[in-house]
Amino acid sequence: MKKRILLSVSVLLFVAIPLLAQDDSHSKKPLNSSGTISQDGLSFVSDKDHRTWKIANPGVLHDMEGLHAKLVYRLTSTAGEIFVTSASAVQERPTVAHNPGDPAPPQ
């Protein structure tokens, strides 16, 4: 009887320890993308592929709602969700209309 209990406990530990050691909450490699943060700050739309990502930690993006930004993030284990490690607002250059006879705009 003691051998059965000891065997059961050892098998349980043998299986459980590797599962506890795994950290699937975030991918290991940080990724970069630029795009627009939603008005509520809970999602991000990438410029490159127009994919919408849910933000796992929206507190990082406070005061950046609705702005064009560059994010450094990691994918989470939840599909379609990212964990933002850093964010910076991107200055958009204003679009200026030019007529064919106008001189070149100042830089």
Side-chain angles (χ1 to χ4, degrees):
M1 182 71 172
K2 287 182 182 181
K3 288 183 181 181
R4 268 188 147 166
I5 293 172
L6 184 61
L7 180 65
S8 298
V9 169
S10 63
V11 168
L12 180 65
L13 288 175
F14 182 73
V15 171
I17 289 175
L19 293 176
L20 294 174
Q22 291 180 353
D23 181 20
D24 288 345
S25 61
H26 308 305
S27 67
K28 304 296 180 198
K29 182 180 175 185
L31 303 168
N32 298 322
S33 184
S34 60
T36 305
I37 300 169
S38 66
Q39 292 296 327
D40 60 2
L42 299 176
S43 63
F44 173 77
V45 179
S46 173
D47 286 341
K48 185 176 181 180
D49 57 1
H50 301 289
R51 183 169 179 182
T52 301
W53 297 94
K54 183 179 180 218
I55 299 171
N57 55 339
V60 174
L61 303 176
H62 63 85
D63 297 332
M64 295 183 71
E65 293 88 356
L67 296 179
H68 193 258
K70 182 177 180 182
L71 301 183
V72 178
Y73 62 92
R74 295 182 180 187
L75 298 174
T76 65
S77 57
T78 306
E81 188 175 65
I82 58 175
F83 182 86
V84 179
T85 55
S86 70
S88 60
V90 176
Q91 294 277 341
E92 294 186 36
R93 298 185 93 193
T95 305
V96 179
H98 295 282
N99 292 325
D102 289 346
Q107 295 290 335

